[in-house]
Amino acid sequence: MPYRDFREYVTALEKEGEVQRIQQEVDWDMEAGAITRRSYEIKARAPFFQKIKDYPEGYRIFGAPLSSTKRIALTMEMDPDSSFMELSHEFRRRTRNPIKPIVVKDGPCKENIQTGDDINLFQFPAPMVHDGDGGRYICTWHVDVNQDPDSDWVNWGMYRKMIHNKNTMGGIMLPFQHMPYIFFNKYEAKGKPMEFATAIAPEPVVTFAGCTMFPAGVTEADMAGAIRKEPVELVKCETVDLYVPATSEIVFEGYVSP
């Protein structure tokens, strides 16, 4: 059975000895980022920070969720000892048969809804990852959702976004990438804003599919279904005409100004 949500995936990683829960308080300002980076370099277990400076109990950060072939294999529910070539062949085999998502009426991402003046991006322990960064990056393991207005193509991608203020994020928009391509050529060209939704920490195959360079016109939700061998469950957003994975931990809804 594919994972229903990111929490099930973390549990699976823990069973395989792939997670290190860190109980000591960790600073969101470069310390969490440095430890996570070091875990990549020495092929350590995924750091799971349980106590974040300046944040109440229960606010946590999970690092390096897909940083090894073993974790990729677990994402695809394969033998943890699968080789890179075995993973690659299986990935290509599965993606030959897209499976369209299904729409559900509700999901865990709807448990707490904030709109208007209640929105405050700083309520989340977004890390200052590197010395010299312009700010705190809140979106580094997620999918961004946007719609091609001229077709039924719904694009998923992974585009890092930094907090500017309590309700504004910024990110690099490179025109050769799909989301920016749609924005520049089909929204900004007409002076129109583009709606988007960002789903943070959905079920792991969703992010896996979202950061894969499938061809333009291919809806990554269909490919995520192919990889997990079951449809992804989507739920309608609150303020934009888009659908997001229903079991995402956090969802942001907004628009990109022309």
Side-chain angles (χ1 to χ4, degrees), residues 45 49-50 55 58 82 112 125 132 140 151 165 190 203 216 221 228 231-232 240 251:
R45 290 177 286 173
F49 306 108
Q50 302 296 298
Y55 286 87
S82 298
N112 296 287
T140 56
S151 71
N165 56 46
K190 299 176 181 178
E203 184 267 308
R228 72 197 299 269
V232 176
V240 296
V251 174

Side-chain angles (χ1 to χ4, degrees), residues 17 65 89 117 184 243:
H89 289 315
D117 292 338
F184 286 124
Y243 293 80

Side-chain angles (χ1 to χ4, degrees), residues 164-205:
H164 282 258
N165 56 46
K166 68 186 292 288
N167 63 357
T168 307
M169 300 181 290
I172 295 175
M173 298 281 279
L174 301 174
F176 57 83
Q177 295 177 310
H178 291 161
M179 179 179 180
Y181 171 82
I182 293 171
F183 170 68
F184 286 124
N185 290 279
K186 301 195 177 188
Y187 288 92
E188 187 179 59
K190 299 176 181 178
K192 294 182 177 180
M194 180 182 72
E195 294 182 338
F196 77 91
T198 297
I200 295 179
E203 184 267 308
V205 163

Side-chain angles (χ1 to χ4, degrees), residues 60-238:
R60 302 178 291 175
I61 295 176
F62 190 88
L66 203 66
S67 63
S68 67
T69 53
K70 186 173 184 179
R71 287 170 215 171
I72 293 172
L74 290 169
T75 296
M76 296 176 65
E77 297 181 283
M78 293 175 61
D79 184 336
D81 295 323
S82 298
S83 68
F84 175 81
M85 290 305 297
E86 289 171 330
L87 294 172
S88 178
H89 289 315
E90 179 64 11
F91 177 84
R92 285 183 286 176
R93 186 187 70 80
R94 292 188 191 183
T95 52
R96 294 191 191 108
N97 300 292
I99 299 176
K100 290 195 172 297
I102 59 175
V103 174
V104 296
K105 293 183 178 180
D106 201 1
C109 70
K110 300 281 191 178
E111 288 178 4
N112 296 287
I113 298 174
Q114 297 177 344
T115 58
D117 292 338
D118 291 334
I119 295 170
N120 182 9
L121 297 172
F122 291 107
Q123 72 179 287
F124 302 107
M128 182 77 169
V129 181
H130 297 108
D131 186 21
D133 278 353
R136 300 167 64 177
Y137 277 90
I138 196 166
C139 297
T140 56
W141 185 252
H142 64 284
V143 290
D144 291 307
V145 182
N146 70 310
Q147 170 77 51
D148 177 10
D150 300 326
S151 71
D152 61 358
W153 175 29
V154 178
N155 176 64
W156 283 3
M158 187 180 289
Y159 309 96
R160 295 201 316 154
K161 288 185 286 299
M162 187 179 75
I163 298 175
H164 282 258
N165 56 46
K166 68 186 292 288
N167 63 357
T168 307
M169 300 181 290
I172 295 175
M173 298 281 279
L174 301 174
F176 57 83
Q177 295 177 310
H178 291 161
M179 179 179 180
Y181 171 82
I182 293 171
F183 170 68
F184 286 124
N185 290 279
K186 301 195 177 188
Y187 288 92
E188 187 179 59
K190 299 176 181 178
K192 294 182 177 180
M194 180 182 72
E195 294 182 338
F196 77 91
T198 297
I200 295 179
E203 184 267 308
V205 163
V206 167
T207 42
F208 195 15
C211 62
T212 300
M213 281 296 292
F214 292 112
V218 173
T219 293
E220 282 83 3
D222 301 353
M223 306 312 288
I227 298 166
R228 72 197 299 269
K229 298 187 286 187
E230 282 189 14
V232 176
E233 291 187 352
L234 302 181
V235 68
K236 182 80 160 53
C237 288
E238 294 291 312

